[in-house]
Amino acid sequence: MSVLLQQFWDLIRRYPLVSSCVAVLLLLGAANYYFWDQRHTLARQHDEARLYGEAMLPVLASHTRLTAQVATTQEAVELIERNLVVESGLAENLGYFYKLETASRARLAQISQLNAQVMQGNPFKAVPFSLRVTGSYPQLIGFVRALETGPRLARIKDYDFTRSDAKAGTLALDMTVELLGNK
């Protein structure tokens, strides 16, 4: 053993109370540093949780409004899905236009369903229809309005107004309409 270590060991034996107090002091200092570091870590986590809670407070305050908006959105999606056209359901598809004819009092002179083109990556497809509607100007506008505001999502691709009968004052409306449908 070295001389310095031997002198240190003799000093500890000569003053046991002081030596034990120094050892306890060193142990308590290490424990104090550990707990001080833990306190800072917990304080930082507490601050983050408090800031998150303060950010969530406006969201929680508007929870009922958000719930109502989600319910309204779900109802709208269900309504749209219920009113999608099925390309193979020709009778039902044409029946939709005949209901519009009855509501507007215009006359469907010609109606035919065209072939739909499928777009890649789109869950829906546009089912086109070719229509010839005759009637007075207010009747034709009523038909177009009923088509636009009806439950089915429709897009008028093109249209053409012509005079059908000059004496009777009737007009003819030729149009291509696309209804939103399932793939």
Side-chain angles (χ1 to χ4, degrees), residues 73-153:
T73 304
Q74 287 173 341
E75 288 174 13
V77 167
E78 289 172 6
L79 178 68
I80 289 170
E81 287 178 351
R82 272 195 317 266
N83 290 308
L84 290 175
V85 174
V86 178
E87 186 178 12
S88 61
L90 183 63
E92 184 181 336
N93 297 343
L94 297 181
Y96 175 70
F97 290 106
Y98 288 122
K99 288 178 187 175
L100 298 178
E101 175 188 38
T102 305
S104 66
R105 292 180 298 214
R107 189 171 96 63
L108 276 170
Q110 175 192 355
I111 182 170
S112 61
Q113 181 174 332
L114 307 173
N115 290 330
Q117 294 180 355
V118 177
M119 289 188 256
Q120 292 294 337
N122 194 345
F124 304 105
K125 67 179 168 182
V127 180
F129 294 88
S130 175
L131 306 171
R132 181 173 183 85
V133 185
T134 59
S136 66
Y137 182 75
Q139 289 172 339
L140 293 180
I141 296 302
F143 183 84
V144 171
R145 177 113 174 110
L147 183 64
E148 289 176 340
T149 60
R152 304 237 168 129
L153 295 176

Side-chain angles (χ1 to χ4, degrees), residues 9-24:
W9 187 250
D10 289 340
L11 185 67
I12 291 175
R13 273 196 228 150
R14 210 174 318 156
Y15 303 106
L17 182 62
V18 173
S19 299
S20 59
C21 286
V22 168
V24 168

Side-chain angles (χ1 to χ4, degrees), residues 28-81:
L28 290 177
N32 185 35
Y33 176 76
Y34 173 76
F35 289 127
W36 175 80
D37 185 50
Q38 287 295 318
R39 186 182 91 47
H40 279 292
T41 302
L42 291 174
R44 184 176 37 81
Q45 290 175 353
H46 177 263
D47 288 339
E48 289 173 0
R50 183 182 48 80
L51 290 174
Y52 180 75
E54 289 173 358
M56 286 292 119
L57 188 60
V59 174
L60 292 174
S62 62
H63 174 71
T64 55
R65 184 173 43 97
L66 291 175
T67 304
Q69 288 176 350
V70 166
T72 303
T73 304
Q74 287 173 341
E75 288 174 13
V77 167
E78 289 172 6
L79 178 68
I80 289 170
E81 287 178 351

